[in-house]
Amino acid sequence: STEKEKPDQVEVTVTDKDSNKDEENQESDIHRISNCDTIIHLLKGNIGTGILAMPDAIKNSGLILGNVGLIIMATICIHCMHILVKTSHELCRRTGLPALSYSDVAETCCATSSNNTLKRFAPSARSAINMFLCITQLGFCCVYFVFVSQNLKQVFDHHFGALDFHWYMLIILVPMCLLASIRNLKYLSPISMLANIIQFVGLAIIFYYLVQDLSYTWEVKYVASLSQIPLYFGTAMYAFEGIGVVLPLENQMKTPNDMKGWNGVLNTSMVIVSCLYVATGYFGYMRYGESVEGSITLNLPVNELLAIMVKLAMSLSIFFSYALQFYVPVDIILPFFLRRVSPDKYLLTEYILRYSLVLFTFGMAAAIPKLDLFISLVGAVSSSTLALMAPPLIDTVTYWDSENMTRWRIAKNLSIFLLGFLGFVTGTYVSILNIVRYFSS
């Protein structure tokens, strides 16, 4: 049915049939999630390998600059998440659509603009967001390969003798391929729950090690050299990896309006996440100082049973998380190939794509086995784009013709965009430069 044009709305065609609408709404309501469930999902979406790299981020910035910077960056990232939610609501109101994804928001804000050039750019806006979502998720998968391999190598080398790092990557390649063969997200839910339990228990034990034998504050550097700051930015942005899950979760909530507000679901979740980031970074750096590794698990002793259990448990948790991160790029890329093959080759095409992407992430991880540099590069390239640059652009385009688009709002959006762009350029440059130096040495 076609919606009639209303004030401040654009005419859109809704493909759902009216006869099925009530049944679909009833079925949808059954699967809606509570505020508590949403908070748990937001915590899961933001707490991964990034939190384990926070001490390394503080090493690249200094104790004071790093922690103050984390609070400022957390505030800006949360604000950008709110921008995304609010523009999504406004665009849903204009178009009459029930919900929008991140790429939908990017496309719709251009499609509903009064500027004809921006209207023509709408499909490209969707493609750009989808591209960076793929880069982000595949980047996470590459980091997971390196993380699991390095932790396994540390444990097994200590007890069974040294083995080249790439052999451990090759050993986990087959299990990764089997995990990536799971096509239905429903079957990944038990794996996801197990991974989350292992991860939070492992994180609690890591804190047990971090709070022992801390350095004095005057023994550590307060501010790092300027050349290290871009690495800090990339690592910190990698950690704030959850902006892509905000809209999908809000679209599934029983009470979507509870996502907003100063004490809403989004602020509550992200304040908890930010406190965990700051605490992990502070205590990790105070405990291990300049010797801190790209993942704090690599600093734990290899001759203590509890520490060994943590390394293996976190490796298992990240291994299981690979399938969930892997699902997103497959979901985005697969339709492009299915449109070009006959229906009888759909299944074969999907498995070829899945195994090709696993081999791609394996190859990238094998080529750049430096966890800290890989995390910083992924954060600088993709996370800064999705978390800092895209939201203010979307907000500006959406409200450009509105009286709400004041000079102060334009200046604020421009400042956030420039911060993200500066971090994108410098973080990418320094990360690639250090990777080249790593190979040269």
Side-chain angles (χ1 to χ4, degrees), residues 329-341 346 349 353:
V330 170
D331 195 45
I332 292 172
I333 299 171
L334 184 60
F336 174 82
F337 291 101
L338 293 186
R339 288 194 296 267
R340 287 159 174 78
V341 298
Y346 278 2
T349 303
L353 175 64

Side-chain angles (χ1 to χ4, degrees), residues 158-267:
H158 179 76
H159 292 89
F160 303 105
L163 185 65
D164 185 77
F165 171 81
H166 294 93
W167 282 107
Y168 288 99
M169 297 193 71
L170 200 59
I171 290 168
I172 64 172
L173 176 61
V174 174
M176 286 288 197
C177 286
L178 294 175
L179 202 60
S181 301
I182 302 174
R183 299 171 61 234
N184 195 326
L185 198 58
K186 178 179 70 175
Y187 299 121
L188 292 175
S189 296
I191 293 175
S192 173
M193 184 60 66
L194 178 61
N196 293 324
I197 293 171
I198 294 172
Q199 194 168 13
F200 281 109
V201 172
L203 199 58
I205 298 173
I206 287 172
F207 267 99
Y208 163 76
Y209 279 98
L210 296 188
V211 296
Q212 300 180 36
D213 301 322
L214 297 177
S215 305
Y216 294 106
T217 53
W218 58 81
E219 294 178 337
V220 297
K221 64 185 177 188
Y222 294 157
V223 179
S225 64
L226 191 62
S227 62
Q228 291 179 284
I229 303 302
L231 292 174
Y232 160 75
F233 178 87
T235 306
M237 286 312 307
Y238 174 93
F240 289 101
E241 59 193 57
I243 193 165
V245 304
V246 172
L247 288 182
L249 288 175
E250 195 227 5
N251 294 337
Q252 296 178 45
M253 288 178 67
K254 291 178 182 175
T255 52
N257 286 331
D258 288 349
M259 179 69 87
K260 300 181 293 183
W262 70 271
N263 61 345
V265 168
L266 183 56
N267 281 356

Side-chain angles (χ1 to χ4, degrees), residues 427-440:
T428 303
Y429 172 76
V430 173
S431 297
I432 292 175
L433 186 65
N434 282 331
I435 289 169
V436 171
R437 285 174 179 168
Y438 168 76
F439 280 112
S440 300

Side-chain angles (χ1 to χ4, degrees), residues 62-129:
L63 187 65
I64 295 177
L65 178 62
N67 284 291
V68 172
L70 275 179
I71 295 170
I72 294 172
M73 289 173 66
T75 304
I76 295 173
C77 287
I78 295 169
H79 175 67
C80 287
M81 290 178 181
H82 279 288
I83 287 176
L84 201 58
V85 171
K86 288 176 183 176
T87 51
S88 172
H89 288 181
E90 172 63 18
L91 293 170
C92 284
R93 185 188 68 81
R94 291 183 190 179
T95 59
L97 296 172
L100 295 170
S101 66
Y102 199 158
S103 56
D104 291 334
V105 169
E107 182 180 32
T108 309
C109 79
C110 293
T112 57
S113 170
S114 59
N115 187 299
N116 290 327
T117 304
L118 285 175
K119 284 183 178 180
R120 289 195 296 269
F121 184 70
S124 300
R126 166 185 281 275
S127 299
I129 293 298

Side-chain angles (χ1 to χ4, degrees), residues 279-408:
T280 306
Y282 175 83
F283 286 109
Y285 182 59
M286 290 295 289
R287 174 67 178 84
Y288 295 107
E290 293 301 303
S291 62
V292 73
E293 298 282 352
S295 169
I296 197 65
T297 54
L298 297 174
N299 286 102
L300 302 182
V302 291
N303 55 353
E304 294 184 18
L305 180 60
L306 186 60
I308 292 170
M309 295 297 291
V310 170
K311 291 173 189 283
L312 295 177
M314 295 302 283
S315 297
L316 187 63
S317 169
I318 297 303
F319 169 78
F320 285 144
S321 299
Y322 182 96
L324 294 168
Q325 303 290 358
F326 187 78
Y327 187 87
V328 176
V330 170
D331 195 45
I332 292 172
I333 299 171
L334 184 60
F336 174 82
F337 291 101
L338 293 186
R339 288 194 296 267
R340 287 159 174 78
V341 298
S342 56
D344 60 309
K345 292 187 172 64
Y346 278 2
L347 189 62
L348 176 63
T349 303
E350 181 175 351
Y351 277 114
I352 290 174
L353 175 64
R354 286 176 175 273
Y355 296 143
S356 298
L357 289 178
V358 173
L359 290 173
F360 171 76
T361 57
F362 167 79
M364 290 294 292
I368 314 172
K370 284 285 289 178
L371 190 61
D372 53 344
L373 297 181
F374 217 129
I375 286 175
S376 180
L377 180 62
V378 173
V381 171
S382 53
S383 298
S384 60
T385 303
L386 294 174
L388 291 182
M389 287 194 284
L393 278 179
I394 290 171
D395 182 69
T396 303
V397 172
T398 301
Y399 292 99
W400 184 255
D401 296 322
S402 168
E403 60 184 16
N404 294 326
M405 186 49 65
T406 60
R407 289 183 179 180
W408 180 90

